[in-house]
Every structure is written in structure tokens, then in C-alpha cells.
Amino acid sequence: MVDTNQPPNAEASLVGDVTATLIGLGLESFAFLGARGIAAIKAMTEPAVATVRGLDSARGAVVVALPYDPRPRPVPTEPRRFGSIGAFASSHRYATLARLLTSAGRSTALTSGLPRASFRTAVNSRLPEKPLAVLAGLAFIGRSSLAITRRFGPSCVLGVLLLPFDPTGDADASGLTGTESAREPGGRCGDCKACVDACPTGAIQDPGSGRSGLDRSRCIQNWASESGSVPAEILDSWGNRVYGCDLCVRACPYSNGAWMPDGRGTSAAIRADPLALPTEARPGSWVDLDRILDAGDKDLSRWARGTALGFSWFTPALLRRNAGIAATPR
């Protein structure tokens, strides 16, 4: 509940505070979700996760998109073998966005007098962040099963700041009506098949097939994240990737909004890049394959720590396997 000492328009004032804070932090694209939308999200979330992540006590949320440029970077000219890192993981944008959202929550708590602990951040978490973005009106689900934000397409990472107040008031009906097509993979893509045509392994279902969504068993990025033996048909299209595949993201016409210059003279992605701390702006778009292949587990863990490759499930053995595939000519 909002503090009863707050004036009657306190929630509108709090929305203004959050909005100004996010913009001041350099976050340009976000949407609010109210209590009824939170209830819809809670219904699709495991109870234990809802409790741990603070969803049980939330009355609203703001969902934020942090953009990146999905286009390929020039390969280093050094006489070494290099492997590519997907644009979303070339800088630890999850950490950057989590830090900024936490800062926004703390700032709003300070100005409002609400408890700091009542503002909870979720980025790359077990909360259903894509449905949150859809119900907030920030995105729809594309044929690729990625969240297609209206401003940046899929060329962004998503984050959520849970709020102890309802930012939409009683008029909020988000999550309850008019979102069925937005939640169905490809339901709002029309005749566009750009991501289908761009995928080298046929992982994205063609609308003419009568199926929808992503066949994870054929997705290069899925295999880059999974240990085990990679199927031959996936290896044939692997290329020099160590982690990440940007082809469907790059092909989406909505992604142009992330990297094309806008009315401010630069692109949203260019403005977003400096938001990362130096420790977050790693490992970059290209990594030295020989260094990875020659390094021991401790050295690889140390190198990956603090990056989007530093999660516990992405083991040194998996990193080394991926580098070995990328280094093998085909």
C-alpha cells in the first residue's frame, strides 16, 4: 500500500518520479503495468519464484528495454583466430540494466518515503519477463519467440522494476483484454517472414507450416548454451560463433529502430552503450579462440566472470567446446 500520508495524487506523482528517474539514467523505452496485469503474471509464475522475486507484494511494474546494435562488427585484423560473441552478450547488458533499475528503485524510495525493499529488480530472471513486456504494451511476441519491442524490435534486453504501488490506477486492464494476438508467436507479424528466412537451420517456424514459434532443437543459440554433442546439421551452420546468434534479431525490420540515427542525431544503441561500466563492457564482439582453447578452467572462469558468459551454467568446458567448434574449418 502507498503511505497514507501521501497526497491523493501520490501514485500519479510516483509515476512521474519513476519516469523522470529512468530518463535521467539514460533509459529511453519503458511501459508501466498495473495491479491487474501483475495478477495475470502471478497466475503464470511458480509460487516460490513469485515469493522470492517479490511479485507477491508488488502492485505494479515498469518494464524497460535497453537497446543494442545487432549488426556485425569488423573481424580483428591480428593474425589470430577469433570467434564471435552475439551482440546481446558482447557487453553484460543484463548487469547494466539491473544496476540502473536498482538505482531507479532506490531513488524513488528515497523521494517517496516508501521502503527500499519494496522496489524489486528482475533482469534475466525466472519471472516471465517477456509476458510482462507484452502485458505492459511494450512488446509483442514475434515468430522467433523473441519479444519484439515497438521501438527496438528484438534488439534489446528486458528488465523489470516491481513497484509497491499501482501506476495505472483503477482504469488498468492490461493483461486482461486485447493481448491474445500479441502473446501468440507471430500473431502480430503479419506476412513478414524476415526471421524465418534469415535462420540458417530452419529453427523458426514458417507461417505456412501451420506451426508457430521456435524449434529450440534447431536453434544455434540454444545449442551454444547446452552441453553435449551438437547435431551435424547445426554444426554445418555454426560458423565462427562462440556464443550467440544475431541473425533473426538482425533481420527483424523493427530492429532498425535500435541502430538507425533518430531525431537526436545518434541511435538509441549508441546512446545506450556508455551506460555500461568498464567492467560490464566485456568480452566484446570477438574473442581469441586460441586463448580460450589453451586456458585452464580456473583461467576461463576468471576471464568470463562479470560478463554475460559468466553464469554458473556456462561452464569452462562448454566455452571451450564452443571455441573448438568455431575454430574448426567447414
Side-chain angles (χ1 to χ4, degrees):
M1 296 290 291
V2 175
D3 192 320
T4 54
N5 291 325
Q6 298 284 340
N9 64 343
E11 295 193 350
S13 176
L14 287 169
V15 171
D17 289 344
V18 173
T19 297
T21 300
L22 292 175
I23 292 173
L25 289 169
L27 299 170
E28 302 179 11
S29 182
F30 49 87
F32 289 92
L33 182 69
R36 296 178 70 186
I38 290 293
I41 289 294
K42 187 176 176 181
M44 63 179 77
T45 305
E46 296 178 24
V49 173
T51 299
V52 170
R53 302 304 308 186
L55 189 61
D56 283 345
S57 57
R59 297 187 59 235
V62 57
V63 188
V64 181
L66 181 67
Y68 61 82
D69 187 342
R71 296 174 299 168
R73 300 294 194 271
V75 182
T77 56
E78 303 170 41
R80 303 279 290 175
R81 296 186 296 176
F82 287 92
S84 68
I85 301 295
F88 78 96
S90 61
S91 178
H92 199 345
R93 292 178 173 84
Y94 298 124
T96 300
L97 185 53
R99 173 174 51 79
L100 294 174
L101 290 178
T102 298
S103 176
R106 289 173 177 169
S107 177
T108 306
L110 182 64
T111 58
S112 68
L114 293 167
R116 279 176 53 177
S118 63
F119 293 84
R120 300 289 296 276
T121 298
V123 180
N124 197 31
S125 73
R126 293 181 65 193
L127 288 184
E129 291 162 13
K130 289 195 292 185
L132 275 160
V134 171
L135 298 187
L138 188 70
F140 62 90
I141 302 302
R143 278 193 219 291
S144 60
S145 292
L146 296 174
I148 312 298
T149 62
R150 303 182 185 283
R151 185 168 177 190
F152 309 131
S155 295
C156 60
V157 297
L158 298 174
V160 179
L161 178 64
L162 296 176
L163 305 170
F165 60 91
D166 186 337
T168 59
D170 293 337
D172 173 42
S174 57
L176 302 178
T177 60
T179 62
E180 291 79 5
S181 64
R183 286 183 275 178
E184 175 66 24
R188 293 193 178 175
C189 291
D191 295 329
C192 181
K193 299 196 304 176
C195 62
V196 176
D197 296 337
C199 181
T201 58
I204 303 171
Q205 305 300 322
D206 190 298
S209 68
R211 296 174 293 173
S212 64
L214 178 73
D215 181 350
R216 292 180 62 85
S217 70
R218 300 191 63 84
C219 176
I220 293 174
Q221 169 56 20
N222 179 65
W223 281 103
S225 306
E226 297 283 345
S227 59
S229 179
V230 180
E233 61 269 23
I234 305 299
L235 291 175
D236 289 341
S237 300
W238 190 282
N240 58 6
R241 298 174 179 87
V242 172
Y243 186 71
C245 177
D246 296 319
L247 293 180
C248 64
V249 173
R250 196 181 304 156
C252 180
Y254 282 94
S255 287
N256 293 352
W259 60 265
M260 289 186 67
D262 54 28
R264 296 173 61 177
T266 59
S267 72
I270 287 176
R271 294 191 295 271
D273 281 347
L275 299 179
L277 299 175
T279 53
E280 295 165 350
R282 300 174 46 246
S285 299
W286 297 95
V287 293
D288 188 326
L289 293 175
D290 292 309
R291 177 180 177 182
I292 293 174
L293 292 171
D294 294 340
D297 286 1
K298 289 184 179 180
D299 287 337
L300 284 180
S301 294
R302 190 180 303 112
W303 173 81
R305 189 176 302 129
T307 76
L309 283 68
F311 296 109
S312 59
W313 55 264
F314 196 73
T315 64
L318 183 54
L319 177 57
R320 197 178 293 109
R321 185 208 69 180
N322 290 357
I325 296 173
T328 302
R330 286 180 180 80

